Amino acid sequence: MKGKIAAGLLGLLISIQNINAQNKTIDPKKMEWFQDAKLGIFIHWGIYSVEGVSESWSFFNNYINHDNYMKQLDGFTASQYQPENWVQLIKNSGAKYAVITTKHHDGVSLWNTQGEKAISIPKNSAAKKDVLTPFIAELKKSGLKTGLYFSLPDWSHPYYDVNTRTKKRYDIKNDHARWQKFINYYQGQLNELSSQYRPDLLWFDGDWEHTSKEWQAPKTLENLRKFNPDIIINSRLNNHGDYETPEQGIPVVNPQSKYWELCYTMNDAWGYQPFDWNYKSPNMIVRTLADVMSMGGNLLLDIGPKSDGSIPSEQVEVLQNLARWTSKNKEAIYGTRRGLPFENYKGKSSLSKDGKKLFLYLEEAKGFVKVYGLDTPPLSAKIIGDQNSKINIKSDNKGNYTFNLTNTKFDQDVTVLEIDFKDKLQFSNPIKDQRSLSEVLENNNTKEAVYQIADQLHEGNNMFNNSGLTSDGLDMKINKTSKTNSETFNWISKNAEALFETEKGLQNGHYSGMSALSKDKQTIYLFVEGTPTGPIALKGIKNGIARIRIVGEGSIINHKIYNTLYWSDRPGIIYIDIPKERLDKNMTVIAVLLDKPIELYREKVGAIENNL
């Protein structure tokens, strides 16, 4: 397993290097609609939905034998299939394109393919009809872009060399003629798809099983361009892709490619599985979209219809909530580009295409936000969707700005603050005043004072060193004057554990906010502003979690980890629920105790492109 994963990582690194080299020559006009889209819907639909087993992998891994897997053809009816309703749901969600599995690794084609010895839904299933054509027709009628997923491997086809993990039909080196028959077969199917559907995008999968030379990838690409010179190809045609495709795990740091897309499930499965109830909430999905947009990428969110063609209600609910949010915040979604560095804004953000608007994605209701290092002064600010909002802007004359949100009507998931500029926004490394403890204690605004404490701790400037602070907040020798803000002093006493001898916080990408680390590096202290709209998220933490609690009052709180993949060493996302009744009105501090000193995952690569 370790050797295979290492090989996968090496191959992926080489692939990404090639993508980076190609990005220099990719026509930006061709990629513009893709880069502007931000949201697409992935559809995994096939016979695997009949029994609710893993698509193709269930027989490849010998969890079910191939004959029993293929018996699902008899149960695939598509009896409730209404492609016009699918497309309407997708379009309403705010997606600008859809990608559907025309054929997965099991080799079952959704359309009426004429390929030699092909297995298809029209010919071999209970449905007895082409289910791909009416969907593509509705997609094109709606104005959405057409994406077709196509598996390079075909584990059911007699001309393909691999059958299951433990069985091969032949070795290519011993039977070139048979392999060439398979090349002709798969390229012929691609020609069918290209001529019949004129796709805007082709989403390949499974290229790890063979080399570019064995797949004859250059010829495949040449053929595709005959039908559409501007065809967009994902990264999974060996070294011939236009954009990077990290899978399941939201990147911690910005992907290396200029163009990228996170393919992501709502629960743990791609196709419909009736016993997979591990759904992310609609709130988590909206925040995932904001996270991806802030790094300049697209979210390709998956749905898995049932074998009768109906879409599970949980998935419909997620799409409907996306529709609510995207329709409200269009200008802060489509056509946006990568946002501010973490040093300038400790949260998620994006810029308009012309660079004259900055969008801040707020995941909590709070009194103010701070943005640092703006060389271009803002003209105005507003809350999108709230015409009555009046945002007061305060400057320290060093490029640092505070935006007051006192009268804001916050969104249930993500509130968008739009900041407008006369010219294209320019920004630089922030220059901040370092506040002394006495200055902070004399600040009459407690929320601002504790923010200053958290901000300086995050940057590695601990104003409490040699101050008289104690580890438990008792018997403190901190100097008090007649101007000392007692509320701030009490907050310090309550949260002393997170302030006493703590060190610089997490690097960008791991937490959307300020943090600090204990001296032994085994506890992460998260500073939580205001009232979060849902569970707060931590990414890229390799460690196991011993426990999570609220600092200063002892409550142990729950957490759940999503997107942990047994075939990848990338850690999942830790979501932490904070009971609203336990939030501190000034700033809540959460202690995350780890099983050992912290280890961070910061590799600048996408997911391993296999499913071992």
Side-chain angles (χ1 to χ4, degrees):
M1 175 66 78
K2 288 182 180 178
K4 290 179 180 177
I5 289 176
L9 279 169
L10 178 60
L12 185 58
L13 283 168
I14 293 170
S15 174
I16 289 172
Q17 287 170 1
N18 278 275
I19 290 171
N20 289 338
Q22 291 172 49
N23 274 336
K24 297 175 183 177
T25 58
I26 291 172
D27 180 4
K29 286 185 178 179
K30 177 183 93 167
M31 299 300 295
E32 188 172 19
W33 76 258
F34 177 83
Q35 193 177 23
D36 288 349
K38 299 307 166 193
L39 178 62
I41 299 300
F42 215 175
I43 304 167
H44 276 70
W45 195 34
I47 65 169
Y48 37 85
S49 60
V50 173
E51 296 296 337
V53 296
S54 295
E55 59 287 337
S56 309
W57 293 99
S58 50
F59 78 79
F60 183 83
N61 290 326
N62 299 306
Y63 300 158
I64 180 175
N65 68 44
H66 185 263
D67 285 351
N68 285 332
Y69 179 91
M70 297 308 289
K71 285 177 182 176
Q72 293 179 104
L73 284 161
D74 299 330
F76 190 88
T77 65
S79 58
Q80 302 299 314
Y81 176 44
Q82 296 179 301
E84 64 277 10
N85 290 351
W86 281 22
V87 171
Q88 194 61 55
L89 185 65
I90 291 168
K91 186 166 186 175
N92 288 350
S93 76
K96 296 300 183 183
Y97 63 108
V99 179
I100 186 170
T101 50
T102 65
K103 184 188 76 168
H104 207 268
H105 312 322
D106 59 13
V108 179
S109 303
L110 297 189
W111 80 103
N112 191 23
T113 177
Q114 301 305 304
E116 184 183 5
K117 300 182 185 296
I119 302 169
S120 74
I121 293 301
K123 292 178 183 176
N124 305 101
S125 78
K128 294 298 179 186
K129 60 184 177 184
D130 177 347
V131 294
L132 182 61
T133 300
F135 174 72
I136 301 301
E138 291 293 333
L139 206 60
K140 290 185 178 296
K141 210 189 303 182
S142 74
L144 297 178
K145 295 289 187 180
T146 301
L148 302 181
Y149 168 107
F150 183 85
S151 168
L152 291 162
D154 188 329
W155 295 329
S156 297
H157 202 279
Y159 294 156
Y160 193 64
D161 61 331
V162 176
N163 181 210
T164 70
R165 185 178 299 285
T166 57
K167 288 170 66 177
K168 282 190 74 172
R169 296 182 179 89
Y170 65 97
D171 286 320
I172 295 176
K173 63 183 179 182
N174 298 328
D175 199 341
H176 286 287
R178 191 174 178 184
W179 178 249
Q180 186 56 49
K181 284 185 177 181
F182 179 75
I183 296 296
N184 296 340
Y185 169 76
Y186 100 75
Q187 290 183 346
Q189 284 199 313
L190 285 173
N191 288 343
E192 286 179 0
L193 292 170
S194 297
S195 61
Q196 290 180 44
Y197 306 119
R198 302 286 171 173
D200 303 290
L201 182 151
L202 263 160
W203 214 100
F204 285 105
D205 201 11
D207 63 348
W208 64 82
E209 286 204 333
H210 292 288
T211 65
S212 173
K213 183 178 180 181
E214 287 172 336
W215 289 124
Q216 297 182 23
K219 181 184 175 184
T220 297
L221 192 59
E222 182 185 350
N223 287 344
L224 293 173
R225 285 176 174 160
K226 287 177 183 176
F227 296 97
N228 180 3
D230 294 325
I231 190 74
I232 292 175
I233 307 293
N234 74 330
S235 63
R236 304 188 186 192
L237 185 61
N238 298 90
N239 302 330
H240 303 279
D242 295 313
Y243 68 92
E244 189 179 338
T245 55
E247 182 174 332
Q248 291 289 47
I250 308 170
V252 174
V253 295
N254 286 320
Q256 295 174 325
S257 174
K258 180 180 179 181
Y259 309 108
W260 66 275
E261 168 196 78
L262 170 67
C263 53
Y264 201 66
T265 56
M266 294 184 186
N267 51 3
D268 292 331
W270 293 104
Y272 172 68
Q273 293 190 22
F275 306 115
D276 181 359
W277 301 107
N278 196 33
Y279 279 94
K280 293 119 185 159
S281 68
N283 172 272
M284 291 177 187
I285 297 297
V286 170
R287 289 164 56 200
T288 297
L289 175 59
D291 202 353
V292 169
M293 290 191 300
S294 73
M295 291 186 278
N298 290 0
L299 174 63
L300 185 63
L301 183 66
D302 183 67
I303 60 174
K306 299 178 182 180
S307 58
D308 65 4
S310 62
I311 298 174
S313 59
E314 297 87 355
Q315 299 178 17
V316 171
E317 182 187 359
V318 168
L319 294 183
Q320 288 175 338
N321 189 57
L322 272 172
R324 180 200 66 79
W325 191 79
T326 56
S327 63
K328 177 182 177 181
N329 296 286
K330 291 177 182 177
E331 56 264 59
I333 301 171
Y334 309 112
T336 57
R337 297 296 183 258
R338 184 175 295 177
L340 293 176
F342 195 59
E343 293 75 19
N344 297 86
Y345 172 61
K346 292 187 174 54
K348 301 169 185 176
S349 65
S350 70
L351 290 165
S352 60
K353 197 184 296 188
D354 64 5
K356 293 182 180 181
K357 293 180 186 293
L358 171 64
F359 303 103
L360 306 184
Y361 304 114
L362 312 179
E363 300 178 323
E364 61 285 304
K366 57 186 177 181
F368 59 86
V369 293
K370 290 181 178 286
V371 183
Y372 301 98
L374 300 185
D375 298 328
T376 310
L379 290 176
S380 62
K382 66 177 183 180
I383 297 295
I384 295 179
D386 182 4
Q387 295 180 346
N388 297 321
S389 68
K390 294 180 180 179
I391 310 298
N392 177 265
I393 305 173
K394 183 180 176 182
S395 170
D396 69 351
N397 299 316
K398 295 182 180 179
N400 306 319
Y401 293 85
T402 301
F403 299 85
N404 188 292
L405 306 174
T406 304
N407 299 313
T408 295
K409 183 179 179 181
F410 290 93
D411 188 85
Q412 67 188 50
D413 298 313
V414 174
T415 305
V416 183
L417 173 63
E418 177 187 316
I419 305 170
D420 296 300
F421 302 85
K422 181 181 178 182
D423 302 308
K424 184 177 180 180
L425 173 59
Q426 303 292 328
F427 54 88
S428 55
N429 289 331
I431 300 172
K432 300 180 185 178
D433 288 331
Q434 297 295 321
R435 304 288 181 184
S436 67
L437 179 56
S438 59
E439 287 178 302
V440 169
L441 283 171
E442 291 178 3
N443 187 337
N444 291 326
N445 186 327
T446 305
K447 286 185 172 64
E448 189 173 274
V450 299
Y451 183 97
Q452 290 169 342
I453 292 170
D455 186 41
Q456 292 192 199
L457 282 173
H458 179 90
E459 300 295 337
N461 175 32
N462 193 327
M463 64 179 71
F464 295 99
N465 291 340
N466 304 312
S467 68
L469 178 71
T470 57
S471 61
D472 61 4
L474 300 177
D475 303 318
M476 297 190 302
K477 301 297 190 290
I478 294 175
N479 290 328
K480 297 177 70 174
T481 69
S482 59
K483 295 182 179 180
T484 296
N485 182 333
S486 59
E487 190 176 3
T488 302
F489 191 87
N490 292 337
W491 185 90
I492 291 169
S493 175
K494 173 186 174 183
N495 295 284
E497 172 200 341
L499 316 177
F500 184 77
E501 296 184 347
T502 48
E503 301 178 355
K504 189 173 183 177
L506 296 169
Q507 300 174 68
N508 67 298
H510 295 283
Y511 172 59
S512 186
M514 298 172 288
S515 61
L517 290 175
S518 60
K519 193 172 184 178
D520 64 3
K521 303 290 195 296
Q522 200 164 334
T523 302
I524 309 169
Y525 294 104
L526 305 175
F527 298 105
V528 181
E529 300 176 60
T531 304
T533 61
I536 61 173
L538 266 177
K539 296 188 295 183
I541 309 298
K542 289 184 177 181
N543 304 67
I545 305 296
R547 61 178 53 185
I548 302 177
R549 55 189 168 77
I550 302 174
V551 172
E553 52 107 294
S555 298
I556 305 298
I557 55 178
N558 295 324
H559 72 281
K560 191 169 184 179
I561 301 176
Y562 288 86
N563 301 107
T564 299
L565 307 173
Y566 74 93
W567 44 270
S568 170
D569 64 347
R570 186 189 60 245
I573 305 168
I574 304 164
Y575 283 101
I576 305 168
D577 279 309
I578 309 174
K580 282 187 168 56
E581 62 270 21
R582 296 299 177 92
L583 291 168
D584 187 290
K585 68 177 183 178
N586 292 306
M587 184 178 287
T588 309
V589 185
I590 302 299
V592 182
L593 177 62
L594 308 174
D595 59 350
K596 57 184 176 181
I598 191 167
E599 294 181 14
L600 298 176
Y601 183 96
R602 294 189 62 80
E603 282 75 353
K604 295 182 179 181
V605 298
I608 302 170
E609 296 178 355
N610 61 42
N611 196 18
L612 294 173

